[in-house]
């Protein structure tokens, strides 16, 4: 079955979808995005994703491309047309198409919106989770407003490629004090010897991940304590467990950091329990 994309008011064949060469997302990375997991026919945590979209748009002074309820309808329709039962739906909004100029175009320039959906394999994800993944560390080199989910992701791309070149699957950005910030596309967590979950505060310096936020609900349900504080690479290497969270990976165990094994080099029970409980606790919006 051919894929369908939504582009500026039209449902089109994915293979034929395109944007104008003067779309500001293409020329300036002047836009934001969201990625929602689709699991068992449900779009996960849609309310929180759209709340964060609203914040990102507001921070960059980009207007909504349509009413929120209408956008929800279009997202669900894209998922339905692509018959995605398990996968990801991608939403991107830019400041629109205008003659190239660094300053904002006129206020009547309509934002541009693109929505796509694709299938993923829960079985393959389960295999990765059972084995765990490896991360490397890289110095922080991004702009300070990483709390905005901007499409300007070149440092993230380079970091993830460096990880791949070294046989790892993710890269952690490390600040000037040696403290872990976040992954190229994920939030970072550790589990202490006492079983406490630790993640860096999201007030500044990292993206407030939606899966990260929902893990607070999951942890409460499981009776687990969370501390929001920074942790060093060395503390992570000595932790009982390490994991990452994102819509694309949910909860994924990390078993090695810069080539050094975490604990016994296998996924931990706390991490796996969080992953198992996530679907039951996260908000679920039927995709059709």
């Amino acid at each position: 079955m051919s894929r369908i994309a939504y582009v500026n008011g039209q449902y089109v064949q994915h293979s034929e979808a395109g944007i104008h060469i003067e779309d500001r997302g293409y020329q300036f990375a002047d836009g934001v995005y969201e990625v929602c997991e689709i699991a068992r026919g449900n779009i996960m945590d849609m309310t929180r994703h759209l709340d964060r979209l609203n914040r990102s748009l507001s921070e960059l002074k980009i207007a909504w491309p349509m009413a929120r309820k209408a956008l929800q309808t279009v997202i669900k329709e894209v998922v339905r047309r692509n018959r995605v039962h398990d996968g990801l739906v991608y939403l991107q909004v830019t400041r629109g198409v205008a003659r190239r100029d660094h300053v904002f175009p006129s206020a009547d320039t309509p934002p541009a919106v693109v929505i796509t959906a694709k299938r993923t394999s829960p079985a393959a994800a389960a295999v990765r989770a059972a084995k765990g993944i490896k991360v490397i560390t890289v110095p922080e080199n991004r702009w300070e407003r990483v709390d905005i989910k901007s499409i300007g992701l070149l440092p993230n791309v380079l970091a993830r490629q460096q990880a791949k070149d070294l046989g790892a699957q993710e890269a952690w950005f490390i600040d000037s004090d040696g403290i872990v910030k976040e992954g190229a596309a994920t939030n970072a967590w550790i589990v202490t010897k006492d079983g406490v979950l630790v993640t860096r505060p999201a007030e500044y310096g990292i993206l407030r991940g939606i899966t990260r936020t929902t893990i607070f609900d999951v942890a409460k349900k499981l009776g687990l304590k969370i501390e929001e504080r920074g942790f060093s690479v060395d503390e992570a290497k000595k932790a009982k467990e390490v994991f990452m969270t994102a819509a694309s990976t949910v909860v994924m165990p990390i078993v090695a950091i810069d080539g050094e094994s975490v604990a016994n080099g296998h996924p931990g029970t706390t991490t796996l329990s969080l992953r198992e409980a996530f679907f039951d606790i996260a908000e679920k919006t039927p995709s059709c």
Side-chain angles (χ1 to χ4, degrees):
M1 185 191 73
S2 60
R3 291 173 62 192
I4 301 296
Y6 178 88
V7 182
N8 295 329
Q10 295 185 315
Y11 296 96
V12 298
Q13 292 293 323
H14 188 277
S15 59
E16 300 174 2
I19 60 169
H20 195 280
I21 59 171
E22 289 193 311
D23 184 286
R24 288 180 64 90
Y26 172 70
Q27 296 199 337
F28 294 112
D30 188 2
V32 300
Y33 75 102
E34 284 291 332
V35 180
C36 299
E37 180 197 11
I38 307 163
R40 309 174 199 177
N42 295 280
I43 302 171
M44 307 301 290
D45 288 323
M46 182 185 281
T47 299
R48 283 174 169 165
H49 279 285
L50 293 182
D51 286 347
R52 186 173 65 181
L53 174 67
N54 182 64
R55 180 181 183 277
S56 294
L57 291 171
S58 297
E59 290 294 311
L60 296 185
K61 299 180 181 179
I62 298 175
W64 274 72
M66 64 186 77
R68 177 168 173 149
K69 187 173 181 180
L71 186 59
Q72 289 177 306
T73 299
V74 174
I75 291 171
K76 292 171 67 174
E77 181 64 12
V78 170
V79 174
R80 187 193 70 80
R81 291 193 183 210
N82 286 280
R83 301 180 186 177
V84 178
H85 186 71
D86 294 284
L88 298 170
V89 58
Y90 176 86
L91 162 68
Q92 177 175 298
V93 182
T94 72
R95 204 177 302 276
V97 176
R99 183 177 179 178
R100 192 179 191 279
D101 191 346
H102 283 69
V103 300
F104 294 173
S106 61
D108 60 353
T109 302
V113 58
V114 171
I115 304 173
T116 60
K118 67 178 181 180
R119 298 174 183 176
T120 59
S121 170
V127 169
R128 286 194 297 273
K131 183 179 180 181
I133 63 102
K134 301 174 182 178
V135 303
I136 64 166
T137 59
V138 296
E140 175 63 279
N141 64 347
R142 302 170 299 166
W143 77 318
E144 293 183 356
R145 294 306 310 275
V146 293
D147 56 294
I148 301 171
K149 200 165 177 66
S150 162
I151 60 176
L153 295 172
L154 185 56
N156 306 61
V157 169
L158 295 175
R160 183 64 75 85
Q161 183 61 43
Q162 184 177 342
K164 181 180 179 181
D165 292 343
L166 294 173
Q169 293 74 45
E170 178 60 304
W172 277 356
F173 288 105
I174 310 301
D175 69 18
S176 58
D177 296 320
I179 303 300
V180 176
K181 295 191 75 175
E182 61 185 344
T186 60
N187 286 127
W189 298 72
I190 64 173
V191 182
T192 69
K193 301 297 184 182
D194 297 328
V196 177
L197 311 184
V198 180
T199 190
R200 187 177 178 124
E203 278 66 34
Y204 62 91
I206 69 168
L207 181 71
R208 188 180 294 276
I210 301 305
T211 303
R212 174 192 182 278
T213 301
T214 300
I215 287 300
F216 280 73
D217 299 334
V218 178
K220 183 177 180 179
K221 185 74 172 181
L222 297 180
L224 299 171
K225 181 181 178 182
I226 293 179
E227 289 182 5
E228 289 189 271
R229 62 170 176 82
F231 58 87
S232 67
V233 176
D234 185 60
E235 183 180 4
K237 290 179 178 179
K238 295 176 181 178
K240 181 181 179 181
E241 300 177 35
V242 180
F243 64 93
M244 64 186 192
T245 56
S248 57
T249 59
V250 191
V251 180
M252 186 61 62
I254 293 170
V255 297
I257 302 170
D258 288 333
E260 296 183 32
S261 293
V262 173
N264 62 2
H266 296 282
T269 56
T270 300
T271 300
L272 295 178
S273 67
L274 290 167
R275 180 179 177 84
E276 183 177 353
F278 182 84
F279 178 81
D280 292 332
I281 295 172
E283 179 198 49
K284 295 172 281 293
T285 301
S287 58
C288 58

